[in-house]
Amino acid sequence: MTTMKSNLHPSTEMLEKFVSGDLSVGVNLAISAHVEMCDHCKSAIQQIELRTADQWTNAESSSPAVYQADTASMIDSIIATPQLKEPIEEESEVGSIHMLDRSVKLPKVLAKAASEGLVWKQLGAGISQADVKIDEEAHCSFLYMKPGSQTPVHKHQGTETTLVLDGSMTDELGEYGKSDFIFRTNNDTHQPRTEDGCLCFSVLDSPLTFTKGLARLLNPINKLRFQRAVGSRVS
Amino acid sequence: MTTLNATMDHMHMGNLASKAEPASKAASTSSRPLTQSDTDSDEKLLLDVGNHQSREAFNKLFERFSNKIFAHGMKITRNEQLSKDLVQEAMMTVWQKAPLYNSDRGNVQSWIFTLTRNRCFDMLRKQKRQPLCVSADDIWPAGMEDSESLVERDQGSLAVEFSNIERFLTQLPEAQQAVVEKVYLLNLTHEEAAADLEIPLGTLKSRLRLAMGKLRQLIGTSE
Ligand SMILES: [Zn+2]
């Protein structure tokens, strides 16, 4: 995958949480896919890894439970296992998504996430969605907007992470292109639209609320859909 | 494919240059404070584990890191048993992957930290019975330059140009020259060359790959 200049990146704080392993799986996927396309964040992450590891190594143990175990026998069993001389090579399947009018090559991590197959459903107004059931706490999906389409005005109750994978879109706050990473917190109301079509990966940690017109009728359905995607939890 | 590799080489060259390493050993200096003697640095210990399967060195690494790994487990999982399992899993990975450690990409601490984070992530997902189609190593891939093994593939074409190679060789960073000389002029195996230069096998392979990429570039542009 060719790397390219990207305008919108995850914040430093998010990259730090990404490195220390504190984020949900869905957001991890979005950041990882962005980093694969972004040299800037790639090198930022190397620096953060060094810093984080340094803090980790030098931290006084604050954990009340001190690690106790029969270390000698554990070490025995470990060094009885063979060492690796070569990294384990995985045959990388080519991960592309075929849309009506285009075929998009996905970042590796998203290709993996989609490897069990995507089922597209129409949300209306030229927008389709395919869920990725991978995170019990967030709703992850691929969203495809046909050229010339626009989503109903909506509001977020939680956070919405969007990674643009192909094409472009605009909303009240700006214009976004391939590899742009957009993070929105609650109470941002917006209405993305696209001229030339747009494929995104989206992570929501709570359902969208549509705020205008007939689309409001979708709200109860949308909540239901979210609950289904998230799993068996009942509100 | 070719453009991709060229970009990676270029990136990495930049890194090496900015580190201004004086000799081939410089890159294997760990970031531990100088108070720790060189023979007992994390780097030296990991080298002894990877190149010589040293039990004593592994014991010391275990002593140094097991509590920290346990603390990370407690922070993320809040479960004592899982955190103990994490110590075993992470230290097992340290043992098994020691030969693959690449000192040019980070230090021992960051290497052990990231593999701890990754094992912890996978353990927790397994425990929660979440789908496993994406693993920690997919989310946090090790150095991107490690994904291609170009060296073997390009040996032939380079051999043809051998008369010119020495001239090009001097244009490589010293650390890369040393690696190329051991492997191609002295015909040592990768393992022998790594032990000889006292660098991890993973570092050797990475430098070799970068050197061959650079040589290929130099040969290409000279014609
Ligand atoms: Zn970025």
Side-chain angles (χ1 to χ4, degrees):
Chain A
M1 178 146 305
T2 40
T3 50
M4 60 195 64
K5 199 178 176 304
S6 161
N7 297 312
L8 286 173
H9 312 271
S11 67
T12 304
E13 192 195 351
M14 266 189 120
L15 289 179
E16 283 167 353
K17 287 186 178 169
F18 174 72
V19 164
S20 55
D22 288 331
L23 295 173
S24 74
V25 181
V27 179
N28 275 338
L29 287 183
I31 295 183
S32 174
H34 169 80
V35 172
E36 186 178 325
M37 298 186 280
C38 177
D39 286 343
H40 171 81
C41 289
K42 218 173 272 166
S43 59
I45 277 180
Q46 284 199 9
Q47 296 310 309
I48 295 171
E49 271 179 2
L50 288 172
R51 256 195 342 256
T52 308
D54 193 52
Q55 285 160 7
W56 175 71
T57 317
N58 295 312
E60 291 301 316
S61 179
S62 56
S63 137
V66 177
Y67 174 68
Q68 299 282 356
D70 180 3
T71 54
S73 68
M74 191 189 276
I75 290 172
D76 281 341
S77 71
I78 289 173
I79 65 177
T81 63
Q83 291 183 319
L84 295 170
K85 300 284 181 197
E86 300 287 340
I88 298 159
E89 294 287 341
E90 281 188 66
E91 69 277 25
S92 54
E93 67 273 52
V94 183
S96 295
I97 286 190
H98 302 281
M99 305 305 306
L100 289 178
D101 54 346
R102 68 183 81 197
S103 161
V104 178
K105 191 166 184 300
L106 294 175
K108 284 192 202 105
V109 71
L110 292 182
K112 272 270 179 105
S115 60
E116 292 186 358
L118 294 174
V119 180
W120 290 92
K121 57 186 183 250
Q122 309 291 326
L123 295 186
I127 298 163
S128 334
Q129 183 177 42
D131 290 342
V132 179
K133 294 189 183 61
I134 196 149
D135 187 338
E136 61 173 4
E137 276 143 20
H139 179 190
C140 303
S141 62
F142 291 96
L143 274 172
Y144 178 68
M145 300 166 73
K146 265 198 199 156
S149 64
Q150 98 179 0
T151 63
V153 178
H154 64 274
K155 194 170 152 177
H156 309 117
Q157 286 162 335
T159 62
E160 179 187 46
T161 306
T162 307
L163 177 68
V164 180
L165 298 169
D166 194 52
S168 67
M169 64 171 187
T170 54
D171 69 7
E172 291 76 358
L173 296 173
E175 195 177 339
Y176 316 103
K178 182 166 177 173
S179 87
D180 273 340
F181 183 95
I182 308 149
F183 182 72
R184 288 284 158 76
T185 51
N186 48 354
N187 300 324
D188 287 334
T189 301
H190 72 150
Q191 183 171 31
R193 60 186 180 283
T194 177
E195 289 300 317
D196 53 350
C198 189
L199 177 72
C200 297
F201 180 69
S202 149
V203 184
L204 298 172
D205 66 2
S206 71
L208 294 178
T209 315
F210 292 112
T211 52
K212 255 193 198 161
L214 281 177
R216 276 180 302 168
L217 290 172
L218 284 173
N219 284 339
I221 302 168
N222 220 34
K223 286 215 173 79
L224 183 69
R225 182 177 285 149
F226 181 78
Q227 279 163 8
R228 254 197 225 135
V230 164
S232 52
R233 288 186 312 174
V234 184
S235 61
Chain B
M1 202 56 119
T2 328
T3 26
L4 174 76
N5 295 323
T7 325
M8 300 275 182
D9 288 351
H10 181 72
M11 261 169 58
H12 211 94
M13 287 296 173
N15 287 345
L16 285 175
S18 66
K19 260 198 252 166
E21 45 184 349
S24 61
K25 267 192 189 174
S28 60
T29 315
S30 104
S31 74
R32 272 197 163 249
L34 290 170
T35 49
Q36 197 161 36
S37 74
D38 200 40
T39 55
D40 210 21
S41 67
D42 292 338
E43 182 94 19
K44 181 74 173 67
L45 293 175
L46 191 59
L47 201 58
D48 284 346
V49 171
N51 285 354
H52 307 294
Q53 290 71 50
S54 161
R55 185 198 172 107
E56 197 194 332
F58 186 70
N59 267 326
K60 283 189 183 156
L61 284 177
F62 196 101
E63 265 169 44
R64 262 177 217 175
F65 285 96
S66 56
N67 275 313
K68 305 192 181 306
I69 295 168
F70 185 74
H72 180 81
M74 288 302 284
K75 178 186 153 214
I76 302 285
T77 71
R78 300 177 197 288
N79 178 315
E80 213 175 308
Q81 186 53 48
L82 276 179
S83 303
K84 282 182 187 171
D85 294 347
L86 178 63
V87 173
Q88 167 136 23
E89 291 251 342
M91 287 309 299
M92 175 103 79
T93 309
V94 169
W95 170 261
Q96 292 177 346
K97 291 194 173 173
L100 306 181
Y101 164 68
N102 178 359
S103 58
D104 290 343
R105 209 194 155 253
N107 56 29
V108 173
Q109 291 91 336
S110 69
W111 189 71
I112 297 183
F113 170 75
T114 53
L115 72 82
T116 296
R117 171 198 64 201
N118 288 16
R119 293 288 70 74
C120 186
F121 177 91
D122 286 341
M123 271 179 55
L124 203 58
R125 282 180 69 72
K126 211 170 185 176
Q127 209 242 347
K128 288 184 178 169
R129 295 173 199 287
Q130 286 172 325
L132 297 172
C133 58
V134 173
S135 72
D137 290 343
D138 297 321
I139 292 176
W140 297 281
M144 312 291 282
E145 79 274 22
D146 288 336
S147 58
E148 297 284 330
S149 49
L150 299 164
V151 186
E152 284 75 10
R153 232 185 296 152
D154 285 308
Q155 273 172 2
S157 59
L158 281 172
V160 178
E161 307 278 348
F162 197 78
S163 57
N164 279 329
I165 281 198
E166 276 180 68
R167 182 159 58 85
F168 294 121
L169 208 51
T170 57
Q171 297 181 43
L172 297 178
E174 275 186 51
Q176 292 180 16
Q177 281 184 40
V179 157
V180 173
E181 280 165 11
K182 293 284 178 199
V183 174
Y184 289 96
L185 301 183
L186 299 175
N187 279 323
L188 300 183
T189 65
H190 290 182
E191 284 81 1
E192 289 165 348
D196 225 45
L197 292 165
E198 296 193 302
I199 56 174
L201 184 58
T203 306
L204 175 120
K205 288 184 175 177
S206 155
R207 286 183 189 167
L208 200 53
R209 198 151 47 225
L210 292 169
M212 299 319 264
K214 181 75 180 171
L215 282 175
R216 216 169 39 237
Q217 254 176 26
L218 291 171
I219 291 165
T221 53
S222 79
E223 284 164 353

